[in-house]
Amino acid sequence: MKLRSWWLGVLCIVGIGWGWWCHGAISTNLNPANMPLLLAVAAANENSSQNLAGNSQDVDYKPNGEWIGRLILPSQEEVKKFRLADWVWVEIKHAPATQQQLIGKTVRLTWQSKSIIAADVRQVTTDIKFTPGTIASQKQGNIHPQRLNGRLQVGALQSLAGARAEDDVLVRLTGVNLAIDSGSQQ
């Protein structure tokens, strides 16, 4: 019996030590200096959107791609007006040197119609209607994408833009092809 108590004590001490060590490792990895750059940019955006628009006053801002933008969920009227499969507005925060005139502008972002993921986009497009279970979950304090409730044909872009209560999702865009049309907001 004494031997079991001794082993139980040793296991408890090892468990506490392991937990303390893991907590230190987790805390170190949550330090903002170790965050991926896009998360650090998102945190900076909460305080000042001017610095992301290319203002040289923020010397710590280093874009992690050629194109950085803030997604904006279009209104349901705008979605009906443009009749595209899946699109959102994007406010350009950083652009390549040849496209600097777009910084600060809000333009329409959509999938390339002949891209390899076009079929996947169509498969995940769905109508969003909250069930009574979802509404009950909200009443319990759980967060659901309220801005998407009641929308028809919501695709991946609108889902990403509308998942948060505010239009504050920053993204890095790759494979950008510019098309000139009259669909920009500004």
Side-chain angles (χ1 to χ4, degrees), residues 77-136:
E77 293 77 26
E78 290 172 324
V79 171
K80 290 176 189 173
K81 177 182 173 185
F82 289 109
R83 298 186 186 273
L84 295 171
D86 182 27
W87 69 277
V88 295
W89 297 114
V90 61
E91 179 187 4
I92 305 299
K93 299 290 188 178
H94 180 75
T98 58
Q99 300 296 329
Q100 293 291 299
Q101 73 277 8
L102 292 176
I103 292 177
K105 303 279 188 208
T106 302
V107 296
R108 196 170 52 231
L109 174 68
T110 188
W111 300 103
Q112 296 175 23
S113 59
K114 295 182 181 179
S115 68
I116 58 174
I117 64 165
D120 295 334
V121 170
R122 285 189 296 274
Q123 286 182 339
V124 299
T125 299
T126 187
D127 298 342
I128 306 290
K129 177 147 178 44
F130 285 0
T131 64
T134 305
I135 295 168

Side-chain angles (χ1 to χ4, degrees), residues 71-84 87-89 106 108 147-154 158 161-162 167 185:
L71 297 183
I72 301 170
L73 183 67
S75 69
Q76 292 189 31
E77 293 77 26
E78 290 172 324
V79 171
K80 290 176 189 173
K81 177 182 173 185
F82 289 109
R83 298 186 186 273
L84 295 171
W87 69 277
V88 295
W89 297 114
T106 302
R108 196 170 52 231
R147 298 192 306 157
L148 297 177
N149 189 21
R151 286 187 173 246
L152 303 175
Q153 296 300 296
V154 174
Q158 289 185 19
D167 289 323
Q185 284 186 326

